[in-house]
Amino acid sequence: MAVPTHAVAPGSGPHPVDVRPPMRRLVPLSLQHLLVAYAGMATMPLLVGTALNLPEDRIRLLISANLLVSGLATLLQSLGVKRVGARLPIVMGSTFTAITPAVLIGKEHGLTAVFGATIVSGLVTVAVAPWFGRCLHLFPPLVTGTVIAVIGFSLVPSAAGLVSGGHGAGGGRGLALAGGTVLLVVLVERLAPPALARFSVLVAMAAGTVLALPLGLFDGSGMTDTHAVTAPDPTAFGAPTFVVPAIAAMLVVQLVNMVESIGDTLAVGQIVERGDDAPTVVRALRADGAATAASGALASFPIVTFGQSVGLVSVTRVRSRHVVALSGLLMVVLAFVPVLGAAVASVPGPVIGGVSLVMFGMVGAVGLRILARTDLTDSRNLLTAALAFGLGMIPVGAPDFYAPLPPYVRTVLDSGIAVTGIVAFALNLLFHHAPRLRKDHAR
């Protein structure tokens, strides 16, 4: 059956999520998603490989495997296969939550134990997804809005890190370039015609990269040092092994990822006005689990929804899942053609950081918009949001706050997203789902 290629009036045809833009718009819109997400996808395997003192060729294999799995997962999540996949414009990729556990497991048991634990955590996610769907009423806007807001705001420091410490960072020049990139996004969004405003992020990144040339902040040497064509090779690391402590640690990570995925899926569903319901969440979690299990088998790490995609959909107002699906296909291509990946990676850190600042801030704003649907004049709701925000932002402002605690405890507490989700979920249960403890305001 042919896929529609033009927007339609509400209620008179396919939903905008299912509309495929013409190719002249589809390709650049997909490139926006790819460029925004690439830095995060390459950073996770790079940090793990560097921490484990892997040789450069092995790190490249980790990055290629991660791109391959992320691309396939994005295709699965956006297009769907039967009861797997949200069929929403959601980009998938490796999660920073798994970095510390992966490094600790890798040092003690080897990378094969990381991959084995990843496989098991993915299969468990698929198994428990229906239960999360039945419990979705326990995730009202008070919980999901707070979690989504913290997801966005807790990622802002990573955007700042790209500006100040990423490749191409150049002190005051880097700050100026990042500020100019943000300004370009705003100006294109405000002044350009609607057809061009949808490409505001892409325009800003292209212009920022050009501006980096005279500033001496562009480094394209990586493109000349990379093989033109290669192939991911999971056998290079050996067969996955299954170690109980490693599996336990990764299951904790996956629980955090599931909370994040629920929040991101509901946020995208509300932005595109479709899919903010239990069946969609269940299909999204199944895709997360299937992708994570496949990721471990292909020598990569847990896969989760990318918060950047939430921000980009909100900024550009492009709701088509086919745009994201093509970006997933491009990720698969990059996995086999690393020279193209090196070209994408050559975008200066201050440019990526400036754009990421907009994206992460937008995710936080979406969370606040969802939270606004809650009656915050109710002191119980206000206390829930206040504690969830306060405790959740501790790891962001004070990364070593929980340093004296055991590593398995820090796996949870060092994630502001996990702390926010746990606190908001628990207090919502206490105040609204525990009849014996509920105050009787009628008296």
Side-chain angles (χ1 to χ4, degrees):
M1 183 174 68
V3 180
T5 58
H6 298 284
V8 292
S12 63
H15 193 281
V17 169
D18 297 320
V19 174
R20 187 179 67 196
M23 194 61 67
R24 67 180 183 277
R25 290 176 49 213
L26 181 64
V27 173
L29 288 171
S30 299
L31 282 173
Q32 282 192 136
H33 279 280
L34 175 64
L35 290 169
V36 169
Y38 182 86
M41 293 176 184
T43 300
M44 162 66 178
L46 176 63
L47 291 177
V48 173
T50 302
L52 295 178
N53 298 315
L54 296 181
E56 188 174 335
D57 62 326
R58 289 295 187 267
I59 294 177
R60 283 200 297 266
L61 286 176
L62 287 177
I63 294 174
S64 293
N66 190 262
L67 282 170
L68 174 61
V69 176
S70 297
L72 295 175
T74 299
L75 285 166
L76 178 62
Q77 192 71 278
S78 57
L79 299 181
V81 177
K82 294 186 177 179
R83 293 188 294 174
V84 180
R87 296 175 176 84
L88 292 173
I90 296 175
V91 174
M92 305 287 287
S94 54
T95 168
F96 286 6
T97 309
I99 291 177
T100 300
V103 170
L104 293 175
I105 294 170
K107 287 181 176 180
E108 186 170 353
H109 304 287
L111 263 181
T112 56
V114 177
F115 302 145
T118 300
I119 292 173
V120 173
S121 65
L123 295 176
V124 170
T125 301
V126 174
V128 303
W131 180 85
F132 271 86
R134 289 192 293 270
C135 295
L136 198 60
H137 65 283
L138 300 178
F139 294 87
L142 174 62
V143 176
T144 57
T146 306
V147 170
I148 294 166
V150 171
I151 288 174
F153 297 140
S154 66
L155 290 172
V156 168
S158 68
L162 288 170
V163 174
S164 61
H167 72 92
R173 291 175 299 161
L175 290 175
L177 183 57
T181 303
V182 173
L183 181 61
L184 282 169
V185 173
V186 174
L187 291 177
V188 174
E189 180 70 22
R190 176 63 181 86
L191 302 177
L196 180 60
R198 292 172 178 170
F199 301 97
S200 59
V201 173
L202 184 61
V203 170
M205 293 182 73
T209 302
V210 172
L211 289 173
L213 292 171
L215 293 174
L217 299 179
F218 179 83
D219 180 11
S221 60
M223 291 182 282
T224 60
D225 298 335
T226 306
H227 297 292
V229 179
T230 188
D233 183 14
T235 62
F237 300 94
T241 55
F242 301 93
V243 181
V244 172
I247 292 172
M250 202 59 74
L251 285 174
V252 174
V253 171
Q254 195 62 11
L255 177 61
V256 176
N257 294 342
M258 292 175 73
V259 173
E260 183 173 351
S261 290
I262 290 173
D264 285 341
T265 302
L266 292 174
V268 172
Q270 295 192 14
I271 292 170
V272 303
E273 299 178 343
R274 191 183 82 174
D276 55 336
D277 52 27
T280 302
V281 167
V282 172
R283 293 198 306 269
L285 290 176
R286 285 190 182 123
D288 279 12
T292 295
S295 185
L298 293 173
S300 195
F301 308 100
I303 299 295
V304 70
T305 55
F306 256 30
Q308 293 96 316
S309 66
V310 180
L312 192 54
V313 171
S314 184
V315 169
T316 64
R317 300 177 299 280
V318 176
R319 294 184 278 179
S320 173
R321 59 194 176 102
H322 298 284
V323 169
V324 168
L326 180 57
S327 71
L329 182 60
L330 293 175
M331 293 175 210
V332 174
V333 173
L334 291 183
F336 292 91
V337 189
V339 68
L340 295 179
V344 175
S346 66
V347 177
V351 175
I352 294 289
V355 167
S356 297
L357 179 64
V358 177
M359 297 299 101
F360 297 147
M362 185 62 71
V363 174
V366 169
L368 293 179
R369 185 175 68 186
I370 294 172
L371 181 60
R373 300 176 184 176
T374 301
D375 179 13
L376 293 179
T377 62
D378 187 329
S379 60
R380 298 169 300 174
N381 293 340
L382 192 61
L383 178 61
T384 298
L387 284 176
F389 266 112
L391 295 175
M393 296 303 289
I394 286 177
V396 179
D400 297 325
F401 187 81
Y402 297 111
L405 301 179
Y408 60 87
V409 177
R410 291 189 60 186
T411 298
V412 177
L413 296 183
D414 278 348
S415 169
I417 299 167
V419 173
T420 300
I422 292 170
V423 172
F425 181 79
L427 291 182
N428 179 63
L429 282 179
L430 176 66
F431 290 140
H432 299 290
H433 297 275
R436 294 180 182 177
L437 299 177
R438 188 184 303 165
K439 292 181 180 179
D440 185 358
H441 291 282
R443 288 185 298 180

